[in-house]
């Protein structure tokens, strides 16, 4: 009963945060805390129950344990191999492979800790498990909230549409960037059908391995599909998400477009782009385009690492506090 009542508090903070600003990272944390407390409430309710309810919960926990301990890491390892074959040997493409190995490592550490290894070794392994649990909690919370954020919000009535760059292959638009442009094209046509005339800002500079600036190739892609040239604005300097948003909004302001603006990126990148927009004090909404399924695990892991890197001190302090709270009674 206590966990059910306790879940009301973070749930209330979650709702207030959603109303005030959906782009807050704290919203994801409150959502995660609420779900954890509700899960604990369910577990204790099942423990008090008898018959089929207790059996069902028991089987559910066995399934979750097997899934997290065996199926999930194997799936991540398999995805890592696919990423290396399709996307090449780059650090970002190793994330799902490394995550799978890390989960197996945590499982082995837990198995080792169940043996009689002595209080000091048990304390160290326990502390590592606390850190792993903290990271897992944040990842699941941010992943779930990314889905929530991408599912709500306005879908029409925009004065301008910004398309964030994602890299070229020479001078060619690759599938990842094409999905963003196609989503922006659908939004543009919807606005035109409603009698509005939005501007489309294509944002992206020129990388060392690119034959032309991204914005040039993006503009050509849209114009070949019926978007008039006068409706397309090129922003060809940006090399980061922050620059994409800041430079694009500045170009729109120069043209007197200060109304509702939406930025289009891929679905895995939506929440981090929204966090960046909030940090820049922009009122821009972010909408996601579909991404190839094999690309999603590594992409979400990369976004998670990037979000953690935005405030590493706070996460280090939080994690350290949890470890201390674990170690004090353990070593006492």
């Amino acid at each position: 009963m206590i966990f059910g009542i306790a879940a009301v508090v973070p749930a209330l903070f979650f709702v207030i945060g959603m109303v005030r600003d959906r782009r807050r990272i704290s919203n994801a944390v409150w959502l995660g805390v609420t779900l954890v407390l509700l899960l604990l409430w369910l577990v204790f309710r099942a423990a008090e129950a008898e018959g089929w309810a207790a059996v069902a919960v028991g089987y559910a926990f066995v399934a979750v344990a097997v899934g997290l301990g065996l199926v999930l890491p194997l799936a991540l390892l398999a995805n890592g191999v696919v990423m290396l074959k399709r996307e090449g040997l780059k650090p970002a493409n190793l994330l799902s492979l490394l995550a799978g190995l890390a989960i197996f490592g945590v499982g082995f550490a837990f198995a080792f800790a169940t043996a009689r290894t002595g209080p000091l070794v048990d304390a160290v392994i326990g502390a590592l498990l606390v850190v792993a649990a903290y990271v897992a909690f944040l990842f699941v919370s941010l992943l779930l909230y990314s889905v929530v954020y991408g599912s709500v919000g306005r879908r029409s009535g925009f004065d301008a549409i910004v398309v964030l760059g994602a890299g070229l292959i020479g001078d060619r638009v690759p599938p990842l960037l094409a999905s963003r442009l196609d989503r922006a094209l659908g939004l543009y046509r919807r606005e035109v059908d409603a009698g509005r005339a939005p501007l489309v800002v294509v944002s992206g500079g020129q990388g060392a391995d690119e034959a032309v600036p991204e914005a040039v190739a993006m503009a050509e892609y849209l114009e070949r599909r019926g978007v008039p040239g006068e409706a397309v604005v090129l922003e060809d300097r940006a090399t980061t998400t922050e620059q994409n948003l800041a430079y694009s909004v500045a170009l729109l302001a120069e043209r007197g477009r200060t109304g509702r603006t939406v930025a289009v990126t891929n679905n895995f990148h939506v929440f981090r782009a929204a966090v960046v927009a909030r940090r820049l004090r922009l009122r821009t909404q972010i909408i996601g385009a579909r991404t190839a399924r094999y690309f999603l695990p590594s992409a979400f892991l990369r976004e998670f690492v990037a979000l953690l890197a935005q405030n590493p001190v706070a996460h280090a302090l939080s994690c350290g506090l949890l470890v201390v709270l674990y170690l004090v009674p353990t070593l006492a």
Side-chain angles (χ1 to χ4, degrees):
M1 185 66 178
I2 184 66
F3 291 111
I5 297 174
V8 174
V9 177
L12 182 61
F13 279 111
F14 171 70
V15 172
I16 293 173
M18 287 286 288
V19 172
R20 293 182 61 187
D21 193 335
R22 295 184 296 111
R23 303 172 297 177
R24 293 172 178 264
I25 292 180
S26 58
N27 294 344
V29 176
W30 290 124
L31 174 63
V33 172
T34 301
L35 294 177
V36 168
L37 291 173
L38 288 176
L39 179 61
L40 290 173
W41 173 76
L42 179 62
V43 170
F44 280 94
R45 287 281 294 179
E48 296 172 355
E50 297 180 356
W52 66 269
V55 173
V57 172
Y59 278 118
F61 272 92
V62 171
V64 169
V66 172
L68 293 178
L70 184 61
V71 178
L72 177 60
L74 287 175
L76 287 171
L77 291 175
N79 178 256
V81 174
V82 172
M83 283 294 295
L84 292 176
K85 287 182 178 180
R86 296 192 181 187
E87 303 295 329
L89 184 59
K90 298 178 182 178
N93 297 336
L94 293 171
L95 287 176
S96 56
L97 188 67
L98 294 175
L101 292 174
I103 294 174
F104 272 127
V106 170
F108 286 133
F110 180 76
F112 185 67
T114 58
R116 295 184 179 275
T117 53
L120 183 59
V121 175
D122 287 346
V124 172
I125 293 177
L128 293 176
L129 292 175
V130 169
V131 173
Y134 175 78
V135 173
F137 166 77
L138 284 180
F139 178 75
V140 173
S141 298
L142 288 169
L143 177 62
L144 292 176
Y145 187 70
S146 294
V147 175
V148 172
Y149 178 87
S151 303
V152 299
R154 179 182 292 271
R155 289 294 184 269
S156 61
F158 300 115
D159 194 42
I161 302 167
V162 177
V163 189
L164 308 186
L168 302 176
I169 300 177
D171 61 350
R172 183 169 61 84
V173 172
L176 192 70
L177 182 54
S179 66
R180 301 184 183 190
L181 292 165
D182 290 339
R183 184 66 192 273
L185 185 62
L187 292 173
Y188 173 81
R189 288 172 175 167
R190 183 185 302 170
E191 298 300 319
V192 171
D193 291 342
R196 291 180 284 269
L199 287 179
V200 181
V201 181
V202 286
S203 177
Q206 183 172 355
D209 58 346
E210 295 172 342
V212 297
E214 289 181 56
V216 172
M218 294 162 72
E220 293 175 352
Y221 184 97
L222 291 175
E223 290 172 15
R224 286 196 301 269
R225 286 158 178 77
V227 180
E230 60 271 18
V232 180
V233 179
L234 275 69
E235 187 291 296
D236 58 2
R237 296 183 298 143
T239 58
T240 65
T241 299
E242 184 171 328
Q243 292 176 354
N244 285 140
L245 294 169
Y247 295 168
S248 298
V249 170
L251 285 177
L252 289 170
E254 291 174 3
R255 289 161 173 76
R257 296 292 183 115
T258 57
R260 290 193 178 93
T261 303
V262 62
V264 181
T265 184
N266 285 90
N267 48 12
F268 63 84
H269 186 232
V270 165
F271 184 54
R272 184 162 71 89
V275 171
V276 171
R278 181 176 183 270
R279 190 173 68 244
L280 294 174
R281 300 183 183 278
L282 304 177
R283 299 179 63 185
T284 306
Q285 180 180 324
I286 314 295
I287 286 182
R290 291 183 179 179
T291 307
R293 291 182 180 177
Y294 79 89
F295 197 83
L296 285 174
S298 287
F300 274 118
L301 286 168
R302 185 171 66 246
E303 294 299 302
F304 174 65
V305 172
L307 284 170
L308 289 185
Q310 290 184 6
N311 202 348
V313 175
H315 293 298
L317 291 175
S318 299
C319 198
L321 178 61
L322 290 174
V323 170
V324 170
L325 291 175
Y326 165 78
L327 289 177
V328 169
T330 300
L331 296 177

